[in-house]
Amino acid sequence: MQAYWMWHWGDYEIYHTYIMSNRRQEFGADYPTLWHGETAYPNVEFHLTAETDKPGYLTLHVNGKGYLLVDYRRYADGVRVEIGPGKHTVVVRVTKDGGLPAAYVESDVLPSGDGWLCTHMTAEKMPVGWRPVYDSPAMSPEQFPFSYEKVNPVKKESVQNEKSADGVLFDFGKELFGYVDINGLQPENQYGVFYGESREEALADKDALLFEYVEGKTSVRLTQRAFRYIFVTGSDQDQISLSAAYEYLPLKQRGTFRCDNEMFNRVWEMCRYTFHLNCRETYLDGIKRDRWPWSGDAYQSYAINRYLYMDRDIDQRTIVGLRGKDPVEQHINTILDYSLYWIIALEDYHMTYGDETFLKLIWKRVKTQYEFVSTRENEQGFLVGQPGDWTFIDWSEIDKTGAVCAEQMLYIRALRAMAYLAELAGESSAAYLEKADTLISRINSFYWDAEKGAYIDSYESGRRNVTRHANIFALLFDIADASQRESIIQNVLLSDSVRKITTPYFEGFELDAMCRIGNFGFFEDMLTSYWGGMLELGATTVWEQFDPTKNGAEHYAMYGSRFSKSLCHAWGSTPVYLLGRYYLGVYATAPGYKSFRVEPQLGGLGEIEGTVPVGEGDVYVHLTKSALTVKADIAGGTLLWQGREYAFPAGEEFRLVY
C-alpha cells in the first residue's frame, strides 16, 4: 500500500509561502515581507485508529524528531514494527524547529496519508495535509516540486555598460525565472553579474535591482532570479559561457484561444506566459521584484487559472498561505481591501470546484478573518482603515479620506460571500445578508451623487470626487439598481472626463464590467492600445503598469527607482479570463460545473475558437459569422444563442448554421 508524507493541515502551504516570501532581494540586500510571517506548528501529532484483517508492519520516517506509538507502545523512527490482524491505535509525534514537521509511515496495512487525523497538541483533530507527489521517504516535503529545463541565450554581445565597464550581454529572448549557470571563469578575477528584465536595466550597473559579484570560482550556479538579460562584467565572449535552468510549475494547460486578429492571439499568449511564470508555490504578483503573494492580485489569478489550468492545488495553496493562522492581528498583506478579496474568493472557489471539504476545513479561519474586518466599522457600519491598515484599491488618485466607497462595495460582496459560505458550513446566513442590505441603503444615502450620476469616493472630505473604481464595483457586484447602472455607464464608464485607469490590475475589473454590459468594442480597443501597446514596445510579458505617453526607459521606472516596475506582472493577464468568459462565453451555473452555460460572442471579430475547462472536462467552442460549433466531454451544458437555449449532449458535436 502506498504511503505519503503527512503534516498538520495547512502547514505545508504556510511553510512554503513563508520560505518563498522571504527570498526577495533588491540592490544586493535581503527584503523580508512587510507583514508578519506565519510558520508551521513546531509540535504536531498524527492519529489513526483502524482495523486490518491481516498482519503487517509499520516503519516511521520523520522530517524532524519524533516517535511512533503503536497500541500505546513507543518506537523510534526507522524501527520496523510488526503487527497482527485486528484493531490498532497508531500515534505519531513529530517536532521540528524552523521547518515543516512531517511523518511518513511506511506500511503494507496502515500507511500514512488520507484517513489520518492531526492536531498541534490540542484536543481538536482534523484531517492531515498530504499530497500525492510526496510518495517516498527520500522526498522531503520541504522541497517544492518544480520542473527544470535548460535554456541557452539567443544572443550575446560584447558591450560596455553605462559605467563604461566592459562585459558580455546575454539575451534569452524573453523573460525567464531560474538558476544561472556560468562556466569559464578565471578564479583570480572578480565578475559582476547584473540581471535585467530590460536591456537598459542589465546595463545600468548598481541601478539594476538584482546583481551580485563572483570571484574565486571557475564555474558557478547563481540563485533563482527573474531576467531576460544578463550582463557579466570582467569577461569577453570567448572566455565564458552562460545558460539558465528555467524553473517552473508543471501545470497542465487546458484552456486555449485563437481568433482572426493576430494581435489578440499574441496578447493572449503573452498573458498566458506571464501568468505561468507567476504560478509557483502560490500565485505571485511579479516574478522579478516582489515575488510575494498579494490577495488582490491573487483574486484575479483565481479567475485566470479557471480559464487556463483549473488547477485546484495552487488555488488552495494561495488561499491558505495568504490567510495563515489565528489569531488575526492584521489585514492580509496589511491591506483592508485584500482581506475582503480573500473572503470573496472562497465563494468563487466553491463555484469552480464544488469542494465543500476544503471550505469546511478553513471555515473557522474565514469567520475569524471576517470578525477582524468588522472591527474596522464606524458608526454607520462603513469600513475605515485604522493605523497600520493600508487602503489600496489601485495605484490611482482616489480620495481615500475616511470611509472609502470602493471598500464598502467590496464589503457588501464579502458579506454575501459570508452568507454563501455559512450555508455550506451549516450555519445561518441571515445576519450577513441583512447587514449587506442595510449597507447598500446607507451607501446610497452617503455616496450616491444624483447630480454627478455616480458614486463618489468619500463623503467626509467634501470633495465629491468621482473615480471609476467604486462605480465599477457597483456594476460587477450588482449593487447599483437599474437606473443607477445606466447612469454609471454614461457618466463614468463612457465618460472621458473621469480619470482613466492606468494599471492592468484595475483595468481588468473595468473590462469585466464593459464585457458584462456588452461593450465589446471598448474591450477590443483596450486590447489593441494597452496590451498591444506593450507588445509593440517589445514586451514578452505584461507590465505592472503602462503609460503610452512615456518613452524609452521611462517605462521601467516606478516606486522612485529607475527599474522597479515589474515587467512580468500576473495582474495583467486578465485577457485570458475575459476572452474565455465573454467571447467563448463559458461559465458555471452550479458548483463544480455540474451545470454550465456557453454564451459565445464575436464582438468585432470574424472568428473565435478555443477550449475552456469545465470541472473534470473541457468544452470546445468555434464561432464564425455563419456557424457555431460546441462540444463538451461532460454533461450539464446549455448553449444560449440569439435568445434561445439549446441543451447539447456530452461527447457530441453540436452545430448551428445561420
Side-chain angles (χ1 to χ4, degrees):
M1 300 177 71
Q2 181 61 57
Y4 301 94
W5 281 99
M6 58 185 178
W7 45 81
H8 192 281
W9 187 89
D11 272 0
Y12 174 87
E13 295 84 352
I14 289 170
Y15 169 79
H16 283 287
T17 300
Y18 177 80
I19 296 298
M20 174 192 69
S21 298
N22 285 291
R23 291 181 180 141
R24 179 177 177 178
Q25 294 179 327
E26 287 188 17
F27 305 115
D30 292 318
Y31 192 159
T33 57
L34 306 175
W35 47 88
H36 70 76
E38 299 277 10
T39 55
Y41 291 116
N43 300 321
V44 295
E45 189 173 81
F46 305 100
H47 294 257
L48 179 69
T49 299
E51 191 163 355
T52 176
D53 58 2
K54 61 180 182 179
Y57 76 96
L58 299 89
T59 303
L60 173 66
H61 306 268
V62 295
N63 190 49
K65 299 178 180 180
Y67 63 83
L68 174 69
L69 204 65
V70 180
D71 299 329
Y72 309 102
R73 183 171 180 179
R74 186 176 290 106
Y75 302 89
D77 63 300
V79 174
R80 181 182 175 104
V81 180
E82 304 288 344
I83 61 172
K87 186 176 182 180
H88 298 279
T89 298
V90 184
V91 177
V92 175
R93 289 183 180 145
V94 183
T95 184
K96 188 169 188 187
D97 182 15
L100 176 62
Y104 183 101
V105 179
E106 180 183 343
S107 176
D108 57 348
V109 288
L110 301 175
S112 55
D114 193 26
W116 286 65
L117 300 177
C118 66
T119 175
H120 55 281
M121 315 308 284
T122 62
E124 182 183 14
K125 294 179 182 177
M126 59 197 310
V128 299
W130 68 282
R131 294 183 181 275
V133 68
Y134 296 104
D135 59 0
S136 164
M139 187 171 189
S140 169
E142 293 183 2
Q143 183 67 41
F144 196 82
F146 288 113
S147 293
Y148 296 88
E149 176 185 335
K150 182 178 179 180
V151 180
N152 292 312
V154 298
K155 182 181 179 182
K156 65 177 181 177
E157 55 182 318
S158 296
V159 296
Q160 287 186 334
N161 69 7
E162 61 182 40
K163 298 291 186 180
S164 299
D166 294 322
V168 183
L169 180 68
F170 297 86
D171 178 7
F172 285 81
K174 62 181 179 180
E175 183 115 6
L176 290 175
F177 182 88
Y179 297 95
V180 172
D181 294 313
I182 309 177
N183 294 291
L185 302 172
Q186 302 297 316
E188 65 274 14
N189 294 345
Q190 182 187 68
Y191 301 87
V193 183
F194 299 86
Y195 297 74
E197 289 186 300
S198 64
R199 178 188 176 94
E200 290 88 343
E201 182 181 15
L203 296 176
D205 201 70
K206 291 185 179 180
D207 277 352
L209 255 69
L210 302 175
F211 60 83
E212 66 181 287
Y213 293 92
V214 177
E215 59 184 324
K217 299 179 181 294
T218 58
S219 63
V220 66
R221 166 166 281 196
L222 303 178
T223 190
Q224 311 103 305
R225 295 188 176 98
F227 56 90
R228 172 178 170 175
Y229 297 90
I230 300 285
F231 181 64
V232 183
T233 62
S235 62
D236 61 47
Q237 293 190 51
D238 296 328
Q239 288 180 336
I240 65 169
S241 63
L242 187 148
S243 64
Y246 169 43
E247 182 179 271
Y248 64 95
L249 191 64
L251 295 169
K252 179 182 178 182
Q253 183 181 326
R254 296 170 60 187
T256 62
F257 179 84
R258 74 165 189 87
C259 65
D260 59 338
N261 184 314
E262 187 54 35
M263 170 68 80
F264 289 5
N265 294 335
R266 291 176 61 204
V267 167
W268 189 92
E269 175 56 26
M270 176 175 68
C271 292
R272 180 207 67 79
Y273 184 63
T274 300
F275 183 64
H276 188 207
L277 280 174
N278 285 288
C279 289
R280 295 184 56 79
E281 294 92 334
T282 68
Y283 297 120
L284 300 186
D285 62 335
I287 197 63
K288 180 192 80 169
R289 189 191 63 240
D290 284 19
R291 292 167 60 187
W292 289 345
W294 295 85
S295 184
D297 306 52
Y299 181 72
Q300 294 189 330
S301 289
Y302 301 131
I304 299 162
N305 176 43
R306 195 180 311 140
Y307 284 85
L308 191 59
Y309 304 119
M310 199 174 281
D311 185 86
R312 185 185 318 203
D313 283 350
I314 192 171
D315 278 3
Q316 287 188 2
R317 293 196 305 271
T318 304
I319 290 167
V320 177
L322 281 168
R323 173 57 180 81
K325 299 176 178 178
D326 288 329
V328 184
E329 298 178 309
Q330 62 181 192
H331 286 297
I332 294 174
N333 307 123
T334 75
I335 301 177
L336 176 55
D337 26 313
Y338 280 23
S339 287
L340 298 171
Y341 283 125
W342 185 83
I343 294 171
I344 297 166
L346 287 163
E347 180 180 347
D348 295 339
Y349 173 90
H350 185 251
M351 281 300 294
T352 303
Y353 303 108
D355 181 359
E356 293 187 20
T357 300
F358 174 75
L359 293 174
K360 288 177 179 177
L361 286 169
I362 205 169
W363 172 238
K364 181 180 177 182
R365 300 185 194 187
V366 177
K367 288 201 296 183
T368 50
Q369 186 67 41
Y370 164 75
E371 289 163 2
F372 178 81
V373 168
S374 66
T375 66
R376 271 44 180 171
E377 292 179 6
N378 66 10
E379 59 273 16
Q380 285 82 32
F382 297 142
L383 294 183
V384 184
Q386 301 299 310
D389 297 347
W390 177 6
T391 297
F392 172 59
I393 305 299
D394 188 23
W395 294 121
S396 184
E397 295 180 25
I398 300 168
D399 183 354
K400 297 180 181 179
T401 305
V404 181
C405 187
E407 297 284 16
Q408 317 319 315
M409 301 295 187
L410 282 168
Y411 196 22
I412 291 168
R413 179 65 186 87
L415 286 165
R416 291 172 175 169
M418 287 298 299
Y420 182 96
L421 298 168
E423 291 284 344
L424 291 177
E427 299 182 14
S428 173
S429 62
Y432 302 114
L433 293 174
E434 181 180 351
K435 194 171 184 177
D437 290 341
T438 299
L439 201 57
I440 291 174
S441 177
R442 290 180 180 171
I443 285 173
N444 285 326
S445 296
F446 283 83
Y447 294 95
W448 180 256
D449 189 314
E451 182 179 343
K452 294 177 181 290
Y455 290 101
I456 59 172
D457 291 335
S458 168
Y459 64 87
E460 296 175 70
S461 70
R463 292 197 290 270
R464 315 297 289 178
N465 187 58
V466 173
T467 54
R468 296 175 180 266
H469 303 77
N471 291 283
I472 288 169
F473 282 156
L475 297 184
L476 288 178
F477 302 152
D478 296 320
I479 294 170
D481 63 27
S483 64
Q484 288 172 322
R485 290 178 65 86
E486 290 305 312
S487 181
I488 288 169
I489 291 168
Q490 296 303 318
N491 296 311
V492 181
L493 296 189
L494 301 181
S495 173
D496 291 333
S497 65
V498 179
R499 186 180 297 109
K500 301 296 184 183
I501 291 166
T502 61
T503 61
Y505 170 58
F506 219 91
E507 190 56 52
F509 290 114
E510 181 172 47
L511 294 180
D512 200 342
M514 285 296 194
C515 288
R516 190 167 297 189
I517 66 176
N519 192 336
F520 296 103
F522 185 95
F523 171 67
E524 291 165 17
D525 287 345
M526 284 300 299
L527 216 60
T528 300
S529 63
Y530 196 87
W531 278 265
M534 286 183 264
L535 279 173
E536 288 178 357
L537 291 174
T540 62
T541 47
V542 186
W543 300 350
E544 182 176 10
Q545 190 179 48
F546 174 54
D547 182 348
T549 66
K550 293 184 177 180
N551 296 298
E554 292 177 354
H555 284 291
Y556 312 140
M558 204 170 179
Y559 309 113
S561 175
R562 292 174 62 194
F563 300 103
S564 282
K565 182 181 293 180
S566 166
L567 302 189
C568 180
H569 226 65
W571 74 13
S573 297
T574 47
V576 170
Y577 153 68
L578 295 165
L579 289 165
R581 169 62 181 84
Y582 294 106
Y583 281 71
L584 298 177
V586 181
Y587 58 96
T589 52
Y593 288 82
K594 295 301 181 184
S595 66
F596 60 93
R597 177 168 282 184
V598 181
E599 191 176 352
Q601 302 283 345
L602 275 177
L605 300 173
E607 179 182 15
I608 59 170
E609 180 179 25
T611 56
V612 173
V614 284
E616 299 301 316
D618 299 308
V619 60
Y620 166 80
V621 179
H622 184 203
L623 176 63
T624 68
K625 292 182 177 180
S626 60
L628 168 61
T629 301
V630 179
K631 182 178 180 180
D633 49 18
I634 65 168
T638 300
L639 172 66
L640 181 62
W641 179 248
Q642 296 182 345
R644 292 186 60 186
E645 288 191 355
Y646 304 86
F648 54 92
E652 296 182 18
E653 186 177 279
F654 184 85
R655 183 173 172 81
L656 292 172
V657 179
Y658 43 88

